[in-house]
Coordinates of all heavy atoms in Angstrom, one line a residue:
G1295 N -5.6 1.9 -9.4 CA -5.5 3.1 -8.7 C -6.2 3.1 -7.3 O -7.0 2.2 -7.0
A1296 N -5.8 4.1 -6.5 CA -6.5 4.3 -5.2 C -6.3 5.7 -4.8 O -5.2 6.3 -5.0 CB -5.9 3.3 -4.2
N1297 N -7.3 6.3 -4.1 CA -7.2 7.7 -3.6 C -6.5 7.7 -2.3 O -6.7 6.7 -1.5 CB -8.6 8.3 -3.6 CG -9.2 8.4 -4.9 OD1 -8.5 8.4 -5.9 ND2 -10.5 8.5 -4.9
D1298 N -5.8 8.7 -2.0 CA -5.1 8.9 -0.7 C -5.4 10.3 -0.2 O -5.0 11.3 -0.8 CB -3.6 8.7 -1.0 CG -2.7 8.8 0.2 OD1 -3.1 9.4 1.2 OD2 -1.5 8.4 0.1
T1299 N -6.0 10.3 1.0 CA -6.3 11.6 1.6 C -5.6 11.8 2.9 O -6.0 12.6 3.8 CB -7.9 11.8 1.9 OG1 -8.3 10.6 2.6 CG2 -8.6 11.8 0.6
G1300 N -4.5 11.1 3.1 CA -3.6 11.3 4.2 C -4.0 10.5 5.4 O -4.8 9.5 5.3
M1301 N -3.4 10.8 6.6 CA -3.6 10.0 7.8 C -4.3 10.8 8.9 O -4.2 10.4 10.1 CB -2.2 9.5 8.3 CG -1.6 8.4 7.4 SD -2.7 7.0 7.1 CE -2.8 6.4 8.8
E1302 N -5.0 11.8 8.6 CA -5.8 12.5 9.7 C -6.9 11.6 10.2 O -7.3 10.7 9.4 CB -6.4 13.8 9.1 CG -5.4 14.9 8.8 CD -4.6 15.3 10.0 OE1 -5.1 15.4 11.1 OE2 -3.3 15.5 9.8
R1303 N -7.4 11.8 11.3 CA -8.4 10.9 12.0 C -9.7 10.8 11.1 O -10.3 9.8 11.1 CB -8.7 11.5 13.3 CG -9.6 10.6 14.2 CD -9.7 11.1 15.6 NE -9.9 12.6 15.7 CZ -11.1 13.2 15.7 NH1 -12.2 12.5 15.6 NH2 -11.2 14.5 15.7
D1304 N -10.0 11.9 10.4 CA -11.3 11.9 9.7 C -11.1 11.6 8.2 O -12.0 11.8 7.4 CB -12.0 13.2 9.8 CG -11.2 14.4 9.3 OD1 -10.0 14.3 9.1 OD2 -11.8 15.5 9.1
S1305 N -9.9 11.1 7.8 CA -9.6 10.8 6.4 C -10.4 9.7 5.8 O -10.5 8.6 6.3 CB -8.1 10.4 6.3 OG -7.8 10.1 5.0
P1306 N -11.2 10.0 4.7 CA -12.0 9.0 4.1 C -11.2 7.9 3.3 O -11.7 6.8 3.1 CB -13.0 9.8 3.2 CG -12.2 11.0 2.9 CD -11.4 11.3 4.1
C1307 N -10.0 8.3 2.9 CA -9.2 7.4 2.1 C -7.8 7.4 2.8 O -6.8 8.0 2.3 CB -9.1 7.8 0.7 SG -10.6 8.0 -0.2
P1308 N -7.6 6.7 3.9 CA -6.4 6.7 4.7 C -5.2 6.2 3.8 O -5.3 5.3 3.1 CB -6.6 5.8 5.8 CG -8.1 5.6 5.9 CD -8.6 5.8 4.6
A1309 N -4.1 7.0 4.0 CA -2.9 6.7 3.2 C -2.4 5.2 3.4 O -2.0 4.6 2.4 CB -1.8 7.7 3.6
E1310 N -2.4 4.8 4.6 CA -1.9 3.4 4.9 C -2.8 2.3 4.2 O -2.3 1.3 3.7 CB -1.7 3.1 6.4 CG -0.6 3.9 7.0 CD 0.7 3.6 6.3 OE1 1.1 2.4 6.0 OE2 1.4 4.6 6.0
V1311 N -4.1 2.5 4.2 CA -5.0 1.6 3.5 C -4.7 1.6 2.0 O -4.6 0.6 1.4 CB -6.5 1.9 3.8 CG1 -7.4 1.1 3.0 CG2 -6.8 1.8 5.3
C1312 N -4.6 2.8 1.5 CA -4.3 3.0 0.0 C -3.0 2.3 -0.3 O -3.0 1.5 -1.3 CB -4.2 4.5 -0.3 SG -3.6 4.9 -1.9
K1313 N -1.9 2.6 0.4 CA -0.6 2.0 0.1 C -0.7 0.4 0.2 O -0.1 -0.3 -0.6 CB 0.4 2.6 1.0 CG 0.7 4.0 0.7 CD 1.7 4.5 1.7 CE 1.9 6.0 1.6 NZ 2.8 6.6 2.6
N1314 N -1.3 -0.1 1.3 CA -1.3 -1.5 1.5 C -2.1 -2.2 0.4 O -1.7 -3.3 0.0 CB -1.9 -1.8 2.9 CG -1.0 -1.5 4.0 OD1 0.2 -1.4 3.8 ND2 -1.5 -1.3 5.2
E1315 N -3.3 -1.6 0.0 CA -4.1 -2.3 -1.0 C -3.3 -2.3 -2.4 O -3.3 -3.3 -3.1 CB -5.4 -1.5 -1.2 CG -6.4 -1.8 -0.1 CD -7.7 -1.3 -0.3 OE1 -8.0 -0.8 -1.5 OE2 -8.6 -1.4 0.6
L1316 N -2.6 -1.2 -2.7 CA -1.9 -1.2 -3.9 C -0.7 -2.1 -3.9 O -0.4 -2.7 -4.9 CB -1.4 0.3 -4.3 CG -2.5 1.2 -4.8 CD1 -1.9 2.6 -5.1 CD2 -3.2 0.6 -6.0
K1317 N -0.1 -2.3 -2.7 CA 1.0 -3.2 -2.6 C 0.5 -4.6 -2.8 O 1.2 -5.4 -3.5 CB 1.6 -3.1 -1.2 CG 2.9 -4.0 -1.0 CD 3.9 -3.8 -2.0 CE 4.9 -2.6 -1.7 NZ 5.9 -2.5 -2.7
S1318 N -0.7 -5.0 -2.3 CA -1.2 -6.3 -2.6 C -1.5 -6.5 -4.1 O -1.3 -7.6 -4.6 CB -2.5 -6.5 -1.8 OG -2.3 -6.5 -0.4
V1319 N -2.1 -5.5 -4.7 CA -2.3 -5.6 -6.2 C -1.0 -5.8 -6.9 O -0.8 -6.6 -7.8 CB -3.1 -4.4 -6.7 CG1 -3.2 -4.4 -8.2 CG2 -4.5 -4.3 -6.1
Q1320 N 0.0 -5.0 -6.5 CA 1.3 -5.1 -7.1 C 2.0 -6.5 -6.9 O 2.6 -7.0 -7.9 CB 2.3 -4.0 -6.5 CG 3.5 -3.8 -7.3 CD 4.3 -2.6 -6.9 OE1 4.3 -2.3 -5.7 NE2 4.8 -1.8 -7.8
N1321 N 1.8 -7.1 -5.8 CA 2.3 -8.4 -5.5 C 1.6 -9.4 -6.5 O 2.2 -10.3 -7.0 CB 2.0 -8.8 -4.1 CG 2.9 -8.1 -3.1 OD1 4.0 -7.6 -3.5 ND2 2.6 -8.1 -1.9
R1322 N 0.3 -9.3 -6.7 CA -0.4 -10.2 -7.7 C 0.1 -10.0 -9.1 O 0.3 -10.9 -9.8 CB -1.9 -9.9 -7.6 CG -2.7 -10.7 -8.5 CD -2.7 -12.2 -8.2 NE -3.4 -12.5 -7.0 CZ -4.7 -12.8 -6.9 NH1 -5.4 -12.9 -8.0 NH2 -5.2 -13.0 -5.7
L1323 N 0.4 -8.7 -9.5 CA 1.0 -8.4 -10.8 C 2.3 -9.1 -10.9 O 2.6 -9.7 -11.9 CB 1.1 -6.9 -11.0 CG -0.2 -6.2 -11.3 CD1 0.0 -4.7 -11.2 CD2 -0.8 -6.5 -12.6
R1324 N 3.1 -9.0 -9.9 CA 4.5 -9.5 -9.9 C 4.4 -11.1 -10.0 O 5.2 -11.7 -10.8 CB 5.2 -9.2 -8.6 CG 6.7 -9.6 -8.6 CD 7.5 -9.2 -7.4 NE 7.4 -7.7 -7.2 CZ 6.8 -7.1 -6.2 NH1 6.2 -7.7 -5.2 NH2 6.9 -5.8 -6.1
A1325 N 3.4 -11.7 -9.3 CA 3.3 -13.1 -9.4 C 2.9 -13.6 -10.8 O 3.2 -14.7 -11.2 CB 2.2 -13.6 -8.4
A1326 N 2.3 -12.7 -11.5 CA 1.9 -13.0 -12.9 C 3.0 -12.6 -13.9 O 2.8 -12.7 -15.1 CB 0.6 -12.2 -13.3
G1327 N 4.1 -12.2 -13.4 CA 5.3 -11.8 -14.2 C 5.2 -10.4 -14.8 O 5.9 -10.1 -15.8
I1328 N 4.4 -9.6 -14.2 CA 4.2 -8.2 -14.7 C 4.9 -7.2 -13.8 O 4.5 -7.1 -12.6 CB 2.7 -7.9 -14.9 CG1 2.1 -8.9 -15.9 CG2 2.5 -6.4 -15.3 CD1 0.6 -8.8 -15.9
H1329 N 5.8 -6.4 -14.4 CA 6.5 -5.4 -13.6 C 5.5 -4.1 -13.5 O 4.9 -3.8 -14.5 CB 7.8 -4.9 -14.2 CG 8.8 -6.0 -14.3 ND1 9.5 -6.4 -13.1 CD2 9.2 -6.8 -15.2 CE1 10.3 -7.3 -13.4 NE2 10.2 -7.7 -14.7
S1330 N 5.5 -3.5 -12.4 CA 4.7 -2.3 -12.2 C 5.5 -1.3 -11.3 O 6.3 -1.7 -10.6 CB 3.3 -2.6 -11.7 OG 3.5 -3.1 -10.4
K1331 N 5.1 0.0 -11.5 CA 5.7 1.0 -10.6 C 4.5 1.9 -10.1 O 3.5 2.1 -10.8 CB 6.6 2.0 -11.4 CG 7.8 1.4 -12.0 CD 9.0 1.8 -11.1 CE 10.2 1.2 -11.8 NZ 11.4 1.7 -11.2
E1332 N 4.7 2.4 -8.9 CA 3.7 3.3 -8.3 C 4.0 4.7 -8.8 O 5.1 5.2 -8.8 CB 3.7 3.3 -6.8 CG 2.6 4.1 -6.2 CD 2.5 4.0 -4.7 OE1 2.5 2.9 -4.1 OE2 2.5 5.1 -4.1
V1333 N 2.9 5.4 -9.2 CA 3.0 6.8 -9.7 C 2.0 7.6 -8.9 O 0.8 7.2 -8.7 CB 2.7 6.9 -11.2 CG1 2.7 8.4 -11.6 CG2 3.7 6.1 -12.0
V1334 N 2.4 8.8 -8.4 CA 1.5 9.6 -7.7 C 1.1 10.8 -8.6 O 2.0 11.4 -9.2 CB 2.2 10.2 -6.4 CG1 1.3 11.2 -5.7 CG2 2.5 9.0 -5.5
C1335 N -0.2 11.1 -8.7 CA -0.7 12.1 -9.5 C -1.5 13.1 -8.7 O -2.1 12.8 -7.7 CB -1.6 11.5 -10.6 SG -0.7 10.5 -11.8
R1336 N -1.7 14.3 -9.3 CA -2.4 15.4 -8.6 C -3.9 15.3 -8.9 O -4.3 14.7 -9.9 CB -1.8 16.7 -9.0 CG -2.0 17.1 -10.4 CD -1.3 18.4 -10.7 NE -1.4 18.7 -12.2 CZ -2.4 19.5 -12.6 NH1 -3.2 20.1 -11.8 NH2 -2.5 19.7 -13.9
S1337 N -4.6 16.0 -8.1 CA -6.1 16.1 -8.3 C -6.5 17.5 -8.0 O -5.8 18.3 -7.3 CB -6.7 15.1 -7.2 OG -8.1 15.4 -7.1
S1338 N -7.6 17.9 -8.5 CA -8.1 19.2 -8.1 C -8.6 19.3 -6.7 O -8.7 20.4 -6.2 CB -9.3 19.6 -9.1 OG -10.3 18.7 -8.9
N1339 N -8.7 18.2 -6.0 CA -9.0 18.2 -4.6 C -7.7 18.3 -3.8 O -6.9 17.5 -3.8 CB -9.7 16.8 -4.3 CG -10.1 16.7 -2.8 OD1 -9.6 17.5 -1.9 ND2 -11.0 15.8 -2.5
V1340 N -7.6 19.5 -3.2 CA -6.3 19.7 -2.5 C -6.1 18.8 -1.3 O -5.0 18.7 -0.8 CB -6.3 21.2 -1.9 CG1 -6.3 22.2 -3.1 CG2 -7.4 21.5 -1.0
F1341 N -7.1 18.0 -0.9 CA -6.9 17.1 0.2 C -6.6 15.6 -0.3 O -6.5 14.7 0.5 CB -8.2 17.1 1.1 CG -8.4 18.4 1.7 CD1 -9.5 19.2 1.2 CD2 -7.7 18.9 2.7 CE1 -9.7 20.4 1.7 CE2 -7.9 20.2 3.3 CZ -9.0 20.9 2.8
C1342 N -6.5 15.4 -1.6 CA -6.4 14.1 -2.1 C -5.3 14.0 -3.2 O -5.2 14.9 -4.1 CB -7.8 13.7 -2.7 SG -7.8 12.0 -3.4
I1343 N -4.5 12.9 -3.1 CA -3.7 12.6 -4.3 C -4.1 11.2 -4.8 O -4.8 10.5 -4.1 CB -2.2 12.5 -3.9 CG1 -2.0 11.5 -2.8 CG2 -1.6 13.9 -3.5 CD1 -0.5 11.2 -2.5
N1344 N -3.8 10.9 -6.0 CA -4.2 9.6 -6.6 C -2.9 8.8 -6.8 O -1.9 9.3 -7.4 CB -4.9 9.9 -7.9 CG -6.1 10.7 -7.8 OD1 -6.8 10.6 -6.7 ND2 -6.5 11.4 -8.8
R1345 N -2.9 7.6 -6.3 CA -1.8 6.7 -6.5 C -2.2 5.7 -7.5 O -3.4 5.2 -7.5 CB -1.4 6.0 -5.2 CG -0.9 6.9 -4.1 CD -0.5 6.2 -2.9 NE -0.1 7.1 -1.8 CZ 1.1 7.6 -1.7 NH1 2.0 7.2 -2.5 NH2 1.4 8.5 -0.7
Y1346 N -1.3 5.4 -8.5 CA -1.6 4.4 -9.5 C -0.5 3.4 -9.7 O 0.7 3.7 -9.4 CB -1.7 5.1 -10.9 CG -2.9 6.1 -11.0 CD1 -2.8 7.4 -10.7 CD2 -4.2 5.6 -11.3 CE1 -3.8 8.3 -10.8 CE2 -5.2 6.4 -11.4 CZ -5.1 7.8 -11.1 OH -6.2 8.6 -11.2
L1347 N -0.8 2.2 -10.2 CA 0.2 1.3 -10.6 C 0.3 1.3 -12.1 O -0.8 1.2 -12.8 CB -0.2 -0.1 -10.1 CG -0.1 -0.4 -8.6 CD1 -0.6 -1.8 -8.3 CD2 1.2 0.0 -8.0
V1348 N 1.4 1.5 -12.7 CA 1.7 1.7 -14.1 C 2.5 0.5 -14.6 O 3.4 0.1 -13.9 CB 2.4 3.0 -14.4 CG1 2.8 3.1 -15.9 CG2 1.6 4.2 -14.0
C1349 N 2.0 -0.1 -15.7 CA 2.8 -1.2 -16.4 C 3.4 -0.7 -17.6 O 3.1 0.4 -18.1 CB 1.8 -2.4 -16.7 SG 1.1 -3.2 -15.2
T1350 N 4.2 -1.5 -18.2 CA 4.8 -1.1 -19.5 C 3.7 -1.3 -20.6 O 2.8 -2.1 -20.4 CB 6.0 -2.0 -19.9 OG1 5.6 -3.4 -19.9 CG2 7.1 -1.8 -18.9
P1351 N 3.8 -0.5 -21.7 CA 2.7 -0.5 -22.7 C 2.4 -1.9 -23.3 O 1.3 -2.2 -23.6 CB 3.2 0.5 -23.7 CG 4.1 1.4 -23.0 CD 4.8 0.5 -21.9
D1352 N 3.4 -2.7 -23.4 CA 3.2 -4.0 -24.0 C 2.4 -5.0 -23.2 O 1.9 -6.0 -23.7 CB 4.6 -4.6 -24.4 CG 5.5 -4.9 -23.2 OD1 5.5 -4.0 -22.4 OD2 6.2 -5.9 -23.2
V1353 N 2.3 -4.8 -21.9 CA 1.6 -5.7 -21.0 C 0.4 -5.1 -20.2 O -0.2 -5.7 -19.3 CB 2.5 -6.4 -20.0 CG1 3.5 -7.3 -20.7 CG2 3.1 -5.4 -19.0
V1354 N 0.0 -3.9 -20.6 CA -1.0 -3.1 -19.9 C -2.3 -3.9 -19.9 O -3.0 -3.9 -18.9 CB -1.1 -1.7 -20.3 CG1 -1.8 -1.5 -21.7 CG2 -1.9 -0.8 -19.3
E1355 N -2.7 -4.4 -21.0 CA -4.0 -5.2 -21.0 C -4.0 -6.4 -20.2 O -4.9 -6.8 -19.5 CB -4.4 -5.5 -22.5 CG -4.8 -4.2 -23.3 CD -5.9 -3.4 -22.6 OE1 -6.9 -4.0 -22.0 OE2 -5.8 -2.2 -22.6
K1356 N -2.8 -7.1 -20.3 CA -2.7 -8.3 -19.4 C -2.7 -7.9 -17.9 O -3.3 -8.6 -17.1 CB -1.4 -9.0 -19.7 CG -1.1 -10.3 -18.9 CD 0.2 -10.9 -19.2 CE 0.5 -12.1 -18.3 NZ 1.8 -12.7 -18.5
G1357 N -2.1 -6.8 -17.6 CA -2.1 -6.2 -16.2 C -3.5 -5.9 -15.8 O -3.9 -6.2 -14.7
R1358 N -4.3 -5.3 -16.7 CA -5.7 -5.0 -16.3 C -6.5 -6.3 -16.1 O -7.3 -6.3 -15.2 CB -6.3 -4.1 -17.4 CG -5.7 -2.7 -17.4 CD -6.3 -1.8 -18.4 NE -5.7 -0.5 -18.3 CZ -5.5 0.3 -19.3 NH1 -5.8 0.0 -20.5 NH2 -4.9 1.5 -19.1
D1359 N -6.2 -7.3 -16.8 CA -6.9 -8.6 -16.6 C -6.6 -9.1 -15.2 O -7.4 -9.7 -14.5 CB -6.6 -9.6 -17.7 CG -7.2 -9.3 -19.0 OD1 -8.2 -8.5 -19.0 OD2 -6.7 -9.8 -20.0
V1360 N -5.3 -9.1 -14.8 CA -4.8 -9.5 -13.5 C -5.5 -8.7 -12.4 O -6.0 -9.3 -11.4 CB -3.3 -9.5 -13.4 CG1 -2.8 -9.7 -12.0 CG2 -2.6 -10.5 -14.4
V1361 N -5.6 -7.4 -12.6 CA -6.2 -6.6 -11.6 C -7.7 -6.9 -11.5 O -8.3 -6.9 -10.4 CB -6.0 -5.1 -11.9 CG1 -6.8 -4.2 -11.0 CG2 -4.5 -4.7 -11.8

Side-chain angles (χ1 to χ4, degrees):
N1297 297 338
D1298 179 341
T1299 55
M1301 288 304 295
E1302 294 298 321
R1303 187 173 44 89
D1304 63 345
S1305 176
C1307 304
E1310 287 307 311
V1311 174
C1312 173
K1313 291 175 188 177
N1314 289 338
E1315 286 189 9
L1316 284 181
K1317 184 55 87 178
S1318 293
V1319 173
Q1320 193 169 40
N1321 288 339
R1322 180 65 68 92
L1323 289 166
R1324 187 177 302 115
I1328 299 171
H1329 295 283
S1330 63
K1331 294 256 184 175
E1332 184 178 310
V1333 175
V1334 176
C1335 294
R1336 67 186 178 95
S1337 163
S1338 59
N1339 180 341
V1340 297
F1341 300 105
C1342 182
I1343 59 171
N1344 299 330
R1345 295 181 184 274
Y1346 294 97
L1347 294 179
V1348 175
C1349 293
T1350 58
D1352 60 320
V1353 296
V1354 72
E1355 289 307 319
K1356 182 180 175 187
R1358 288 178 178 150
D1359 287 339
V1360 170
V1361 172

